[in-house]
Amino acid sequence: MTSAALAADPAAALDLLGSGALTVHGRVTDASNAVLYCTVALDGRTAPCVYKPVAGERPLWDFPDGTLAGREVAAYRLAAATGWALVPPTVLREGPHGPGMVQLWIEPDLSAPELLALQDPAGPEPGWLPIIRAEVGEGRTALLVHRDDERLRRLAVLDAVLNNADRKGGHWLPAADGRIYGIDHGVTFAVPGKLRTLLWGWAEQPLTEEAREVLDRLAAGLGAALDGALAEELRPHLTEAELAATGQRIDQLRSTGRHPLPSADWPSIPWPPV
């Protein structure tokens, strides 16, 4: 079974990731924290995965509580509740270097159309949405754009709920199954607004009917007093303040009915952007 096919069967994927034997094959060297490429095997099934041990995390002054691994798992749980399958199956478990996050490895489809581009500053071209004007050298500028793609738009809604502080262009992967998967959710769920993303093309536009229905479902899952089933899934990984802030972000999106605008108090574009 391919990783894409396994991702489409979350129950089987979570069983394999949570109970299988982990074998470490190497380290992803361009990551700022320990990211280990592994395989996981159980009852004749084998799949590639990423293992991020808590012991390999660097402390962050603006995320003093919890762990990156815990927030990655919480992001998966909340994303799964949307029904959009935007985050690969993810578990928290013991591994060769102690407890950590284990996530199904998604091999990007290198033949998929590009989702980011630099275009003439007079753009964007049809089918693309503007992000920001970028310096490209020798006093020249270009318009950084992303595709007007419904899969990315769903990811933008998820990021607004997660308060994702690091949605780089390399943090979404087009897969062979036609889905786009978001990865690297360690800096999410902060209480103050920290949304930093490249997916600003829909800023202040009305949310789709589908998105409004998903937000209603998330609100119901958290419960009026954070006593719902979804809140109980997230609680082991987040503080009560982070849970409450998540509910407030969902309520704010439901109230405005629009995609958020960039904050004037926080950098709105991650660095590096890709």
Side-chain angles (χ1 to χ4, degrees):
M1 182 180 289
T2 66
S3 291
L6 191 57
D9 186 355
L14 293 173
D15 179 53
L16 176 59
L17 293 170
S19 302
L22 273 178
T23 301
V24 177
H25 297 286
R27 180 169 181 169
V28 179
T29 56
D30 59 352
S32 56
N33 296 279
V35 179
L36 305 177
Y37 177 77
C38 305
T39 52
V40 60
L42 179 69
D43 298 333
R45 296 174 296 155
T46 303
C49 61
V50 172
Y51 165 46
K52 298 182 181 180
V54 172
E57 296 179 4
R58 296 192 304 176
L60 298 173
W61 66 268
D62 52 345
F63 286 85
D65 300 310
T67 64
L68 304 183
R71 286 189 287 273
E72 293 246 30
V73 174
Y76 167 70
R77 295 285 187 177
L78 190 145
T82 68
W84 283 334
L86 291 171
V87 178
T90 309
V91 301
L92 189 68
R93 57 163 289 178
E94 284 289 332
H97 301 286
M101 178 278 275
V102 177
Q103 183 176 83
L104 188 67
W105 176 276
I106 300 296
E107 194 66 39
D109 181 4
L110 300 181
S111 67
E114 291 293 331
L115 298 171
L116 279 174
L118 288 171
Q119 296 180 357
D120 188 285
E125 298 171 8
W128 297 82
L129 296 172
I131 306 169
I132 194 172
R133 293 185 186 276
E135 296 284 345
V136 293
E138 299 179 355
R140 295 179 296 117
T141 62
L143 189 64
L144 181 62
V145 297
H146 64 70
R147 284 197 184 271
D148 187 1
D149 187 301
E150 192 59 37
R151 299 168 300 172
L152 290 180
R153 189 168 190 173
R154 291 170 175 168
L155 196 58
V157 174
L158 176 66
D159 284 344
V161 173
L162 297 179
N163 197 15
N164 191 351
D166 197 29
R167 181 61 74 198
K168 295 181 173 73
H171 290 177
W172 63 64
L173 304 175
D177 62 359
R179 296 184 182 275
I180 292 176
Y181 291 95
I183 61 170
D184 286 331
H185 297 103
V187 286
T188 50
F189 293 105
V191 174
K194 291 182 180 289
L195 183 58
R196 190 164 54 182
T197 177
L198 292 184
L199 297 176
W200 288 118
W202 298 280
E204 212 175 19
Q205 288 190 23
L207 295 168
T208 64
E209 180 63 30
E210 177 191 49
R212 291 193 292 271
E213 291 173 358
V214 164
L215 292 168
D216 289 345
R217 190 159 64 245
L218 292 178
L222 288 179
L226 298 179
D227 55 358
L230 178 57
E232 291 308 309
E233 287 189 51
L234 301 180
R235 186 164 274 114
H237 311 295
L238 303 176
T239 67
E240 288 301 311
E242 288 167 339
L243 265 179
T246 302
Q248 290 163 8
R249 288 191 297 272
I250 292 170
D251 289 344
Q252 177 70 11
L253 288 166
R254 295 169 71 207
S255 175
T256 65
R258 294 180 178 274
H259 288 267
L261 286 166
S263 171
D265 303 320
W266 176 257
S268 61
I269 301 294
W271 187 262
V274 179

